[in-house]
Amino acid sequence: MNLFAPLAQRSLTLRNRLVIAPMCQYSAVDGMPDDWHMVHLGSRAVGGAAVVIAEATAVSAEGRISPGDVGLWNEQQLAAWQPITRFITAHGAVAGVQLAHAGRKASAMRPWDGGHPLPAGAGAWPTVAPSALPFDQHWPVPQALDEQAINGVVADFRAAAQRALDAGFQLVEIHAAHGYLLHQFLSPLSNRRTDRYGGSFENRTRLLREVIAAVRDVWPQALPLWLRISATDWVDGGWDIEQSVRLAHELKDLGVDLVDASSGGVVPHAKIPLAPGYQVPFAARIRREAHMATGAVGLITESTHAARIIEEGAADVVLIARESLRDPYFPRRAAQELGVAITAPLQYQRAW
C-alpha cells in the first residue's frame, strides 16, 4: 500500500489515503453551517484530500458542545449543508460528516472564550450523561438518562443520519470518542449504571451498538460507515485498548467499515504521552487483531510519516487535523514531496 493508492469503501473509491479529520469550528448560529464552513471544508477538497469530514455535528440541540456547534437536527440545517457537500463532491473528495452528542461535556463556552461551562445567564442548557457525574470540578452535574431518554438519543442519531444522506453526505462517522456521550457510556470512569446500560462490557457498549444499528438502518448499504473511538482513556480502570479490540471484533457484523482510532477525553487530567504518531499503535493493533480497517490520527504532520504509516500497514487511512489548519493543501504538498503526480483543478494546473 502507499499513501496515494486508492481505497475501496463499499461503493466508493477514495482517491488516496489522506482524510481531513473533523475539527470543530465553533462558528455556527443555531446549528447552521454558513460561508465559513463552505470555505473551510471546500478548500480542503480542492487541496486534494480523499475524504473531508465535517466537524462534530450535533444530533440534537442539547447535544452541542457549545452554542457555536453545527447540527443536523432540523430541515433548515439539512438545506444549509447541501451546497457545501455539492462543492466537496464536485472537487473529487468524499463528503463526510461526524454525528455527535456531547453528553456531560455539552453547554460549554467556545475554546477561545475559555471552554468552561456556560454560565446560567449566557444560554446554558441542562446536560445529560449515563450517570450523574460531572466532567470536572465546577462543571454541572448532568442528569442520568433513563431508558426512555436513551431511546430518544438513538432516534436522534437515526434521524440525523437520514438528514445527512439527504444533505448529500456520502460517509458518516459516529463520534464515540473524546469523552462525549457515547464514550461516556463505554468508559467505567463515567458510566456507573447498574441497569442493562452499565457494568459489563456488553452493557456499556449497548448504546453504541444500538446507535450503529439505527444509523445503518437508514444509511445505504452502498455507503461507508465509520466509527471514531478513544482507544484508551489513559487512566487505570478506564476504557482501554483491549476493550477497543474486543469492540472492533463486533463492528463488521454491525456494518462499520473503519475504526478511526483516537484517545482520551473522558476525564480532564489524564496523562497523555503526546508525541508525533502517539496514537498510531492503537490503529495498528486494532487492524492487526480485529481485521478491521483503521484510521491513524494524532500529531501526524510530515508527508513521510503519513506515507510510512500506510506502507507499514499500521492503518488504511491517515487523518490530518491541525496540520490541515496550517496548510489546507497538505495532500498536494505531500504528493510533491513524495514525487507523486496527482490531478489539480483546472484553475490550479498551471502551478503543477
Side-chain angles (χ1 to χ4, degrees), residues 9 26 31 162 187 261 294 314 330:
Q9 283 276 286
Y26 304 105
Q162 180 63 61
S187 176
T294 60
F330 176 84

Side-chain angles (χ1 to χ4, degrees), residues 52-274:
V52 178
I53 305 179
E55 64 197 81
T57 300
V59 299
S60 64
E62 75 172 8
R64 292 172 295 166
I65 304 165
S66 81
D69 287 25
V70 292
L72 266 171
W73 70 80
N74 64 39
E75 303 308 302
Q76 291 76 26
Q77 294 157 357
L78 183 165
W81 280 114
Q82 288 176 327
I84 299 173
T85 62
R86 281 198 298 269
F87 187 91
I88 293 170
T89 304
H91 290 279
V94 170
V97 64
Q98 185 185 68
L99 299 181
H101 190 301
R104 69 181 187 178
K105 294 177 79 172
S107 190
M109 298 176 180
R110 297 175 300 182
W112 51 82
D113 294 326
H116 306 298
L118 282 170
W125 61 89
T127 60
V128 298
S131 303
L133 300 170
F135 172 61
D136 197 5
Q137 294 180 1
H138 311 302
W139 281 72
V141 176
Q143 180 180 352
L145 291 163
D146 60 22
E147 289 211 17
Q148 182 178 357
I150 287 173
N151 291 338
V153 169
V154 175
D156 287 340
F157 271 93
R158 187 184 193 278
Q162 180 63 61
R163 291 190 187 99
L165 180 65
D166 295 341
F169 289 104
Q170 299 171 290
L171 182 152
V172 159
E173 177 174 88
I174 295 171
H175 199 354
H178 301 165
Y180 298 125
L181 184 64
L182 298 181
H183 183 191
Q184 291 163 28
F185 271 85
L186 294 177
S187 176
L189 301 176
S190 48
N191 184 346
R192 305 289 176 82
R193 301 176 72 98
T194 57
D195 64 359
R196 66 195 192 100
Y197 288 95
S200 68
F201 173 88
E202 180 181 3
N203 286 354
R204 286 182 285 109
T205 60
R206 187 182 306 279
L207 175 57
L208 176 57
R209 288 184 279 111
E210 290 178 350
V211 165
I212 293 170
V215 169
R216 224 348 138 190
D217 187 48
V218 298
W219 194 245
Q221 290 298 311
L223 296 179
L225 174 62
W226 291 6
L227 175 68
R228 173 165 276 195
I229 63 170
S230 282
T232 180
D233 291 337
W234 298 106
V235 176
D236 290 343
W239 183 263
D240 56 27
I241 182 59
E242 287 74 22
Q243 293 173 88
S244 295
V245 171
R246 182 177 173 186
L247 175 65
H249 273 291
E250 303 178 4
L251 293 178
K252 280 188 179 179
D253 289 341
L254 298 175
V256 173
D257 298 292
L258 183 142
V259 172
D260 173 1
S262 190
S263 68
V266 82
V267 291
H269 305 300
K271 295 181 179 178
I272 301 176
L274 296 174

Side-chain angles (χ1 to χ4, degrees), residues 241-242 245-246 249 283-292:
I241 182 59
E242 287 74 22
V245 171
R246 182 177 173 186
H249 273 291
R285 182 168 171 184
I286 292 168
R287 188 176 191 271
R288 181 176 66 250
E289 296 184 16
H291 308 291
M292 165 64 72

